[in-house]
Amino acid sequence: MQFTIAIDGPAAAGKGTISKAVAAHYGFAHLDTGLLYRAVGAKTLAGIDVLEAAITLTAEDLTASDLRTPEVAQAASKVAVLADVRAALVDFQIAFARRSGGAVLDGRDIGTVICPRAEAKLFVTASAEVRAARRYLELSQNGHDVTREAVLEDVKARDARDMNRAEAPLKPAEDAVLIDTSDLGIEAAIAAAVAAIDARKG
Ligand code: C5P
């Protein structure tokens, strides 16, 4: 059985939480595609050539412990504008999406570029302020020394770079179901996602 669930949206909208819950609900495999770009970004911060980093990326690179920092997030969105970097990461994502047993992929361009024929597509969003507040909480709880203002600036800078780039810009697929989590709790957001996917499963 092949069934692909594409979940796109901006940083800290709740994609990750929803994707994990949806994957567990249906018993599907889950790929956080942001990790691919974060791993490439982290390698460039370590001085490795960007294309070399993308071409030689291994599964092990995705488990590095320092991929969730604000510095790596910014580096990820900078390498993500490069067409050659994106091209180097396409085959792995498509193969993952079509694995038997079902797959959930979350990112920025899954429903538009990687899996335009995904059986179910969601676009998860929230206001920049709500997303920054969530990211601030997450980072400060994990011991990062950040301010609310800096996190909001980071979120807005990344949004602008992700939405305005020429290659695979962040935008909802025409047939995506929109879920705005600004005023939704986690359980309600997951329930909305499952209801939208069930409607596509028939
Ligand atoms: O989702 P996450 O915040 O981990 O993604 C980090 C960055 O990687 C994003 O800001 C975006 O620039 C890039 N990205 C992308 N396409 C994806 C997933 C992530 O361009 N499918």
Side-chain angles (χ1 to χ4, degrees):
M1 189 269 306
Q2 289 183 330
F3 194 97
T4 307
I5 301 173
I7 304 187
D8 291 304
K15 291 189 308 291
T17 306
I18 291 175
S19 299
K20 282 192 205 97
V22 159
H25 180 86
Y26 295 107
F28 289 3
H30 171 226
L31 178 65
D32 169 1
T33 65
L35 279 182
L36 303 173
Y37 296 91
R38 285 176 182 261
V40 174
K43 287 193 162 203
T44 64
L45 292 177
I48 297 170
D49 171 74
V50 62
L51 197 52
E52 178 71 17
I55 291 168
T56 60
L57 204 68
T58 65
E60 211 168 58
D61 294 327
L62 306 184
T63 59
S65 60
D66 57 352
L67 297 181
R68 294 276 169 213
T69 68
E71 294 75 26
V72 170
Q74 290 297 335
S77 83
K78 286 178 187 163
V79 304
V81 305
L82 302 171
D84 288 348
V85 166
R86 306 198 71 85
L89 303 176
V90 165
D91 289 350
F92 175 73
Q93 295 175 81
I94 292 178
F96 191 96
R98 300 320 283 170
R99 60 169 42 211
S100 71
V104 181
L105 285 83
D106 72 280
R108 302 292 186 288
D109 64 338
I110 307 303
T112 50
V113 174
I114 302 294
C115 305
R117 298 175 66 183
E119 283 77 7
K121 298 180 188 176
L122 305 179
F123 192 85
V124 180
T125 188
S127 73
E129 286 69 22
V130 166
R131 290 186 287 117
R134 286 182 191 151
R135 186 48 55 88
Y136 172 75
L137 205 66
E138 185 185 317
L139 288 169
S140 43
Q141 276 172 354
N142 289 328
H144 292 283
D145 183 19
V146 287
T147 64
R148 288 174 192 281
E149 295 71 28
V151 173
L152 180 59
E153 284 315 305
D154 267 16
V155 161
K156 286 183 174 171
R158 212 137 63 88
D159 282 358
R161 210 178 288 122
D162 291 349
M163 291 189 292
N164 297 321
R165 67 188 179 209
E167 292 296 323
L170 169 64
K171 63 175 181 194
E174 274 174 20
D175 50 350
V177 174
L178 217 71
I179 299 179
D180 188 324
T181 66
S182 301
D183 299 315
L184 283 186
I186 291 173
E187 292 308 323
I190 293 168
V194 167
I197 296 161
D198 279 347
R200 298 290 169 93
K201 277 182 91 83

